[in-house]
Amino acid sequence: MRYLVHAEQRQFSLRDKDAWRPGDGGWTDEAVSAHRVAVEPSSLSVATARSDWVEVDVSVGASAPPVLPDASHVVEADLDVPDGEATLAGPAGYARQEHRIAVPPGRYRVRVSYVESGPPDAEWHDHEFGEHFRYVLDLWPSAGAAPVAVLREGPGVWDG
């Protein structure tokens, strides 16, 4: 399903509904420079190329899908959703701006793919700099913990 998220501060998060609100935690040097995702308990923050409205596609499957051929950056990380409900929001998202996504309770592997696109179907801010991307989040059940893995490191995600 496609969602529109306000990624102020160049990020948004997918997290268990009761997880700590995202902030600076998880943004290590490696998370910023290579992964472009920050992992915290039951929370996954995704760096965006713009501080603006972004399109985010979220799907839940039984197993890992093929890597999108048109994705310029692809990274995988773990996400625990013990309560069976995830929220998708920007860092300053208010309760009415959060998207709620029902999933079976458990641990998931999340693949984040950065796919170049045009502006979102919303009133985006032309004064913001940075490329437009659609952020594709594929989730599937995971039996055990795994480290963050960059499957494809693409240039240009941070260009403005």
Side-chain angles (χ1 to χ4, degrees), residues 39-107:
V39 181
E40 299 177 280
S42 297
S43 180
L44 178 70
S45 295
V46 178
T48 62
R50 297 173 62 88
S51 182
D52 203 347
W53 290 100
V54 298
E55 291 178 331
V56 181
D57 292 349
V58 179
S59 65
V60 180
S63 61
V67 174
L68 295 173
D70 55 345
S72 63
H73 184 78
V74 182
V75 63
E76 290 180 0
D78 287 347
L79 176 67
D80 288 321
V81 188
D83 294 323
E85 185 175 50
T87 58
L88 178 68
Y94 302 104
R96 71 183 191 288
Q97 293 177 323
E98 289 183 340
H99 301 283
R100 297 191 173 268
I101 303 166
V103 298
R107 176 188 299 269

Side-chain angles (χ1 to χ4, degrees), residues 90-145:
Y94 302 104
R96 71 183 191 288
Q97 293 177 323
E98 289 183 340
H99 301 283
R100 297 191 173 268
I101 303 166
V103 298
R107 176 188 299 269
Y108 290 86
R109 192 68 174 165
V110 181
R111 180 178 299 146
V112 181
S113 301
Y114 289 62
V115 179
E116 292 182 36
S117 70
D121 188 18
E123 190 172 318
W124 54 281
H125 304 285
D126 59 2
H127 65 277
E128 292 292 339
F129 62 91
E131 298 298 319
H132 290 282
F133 284 87
R134 181 171 44 93
Y135 302 88
V136 179
L137 279 57
D138 293 304
L139 289 76
W140 64 92
S142 174

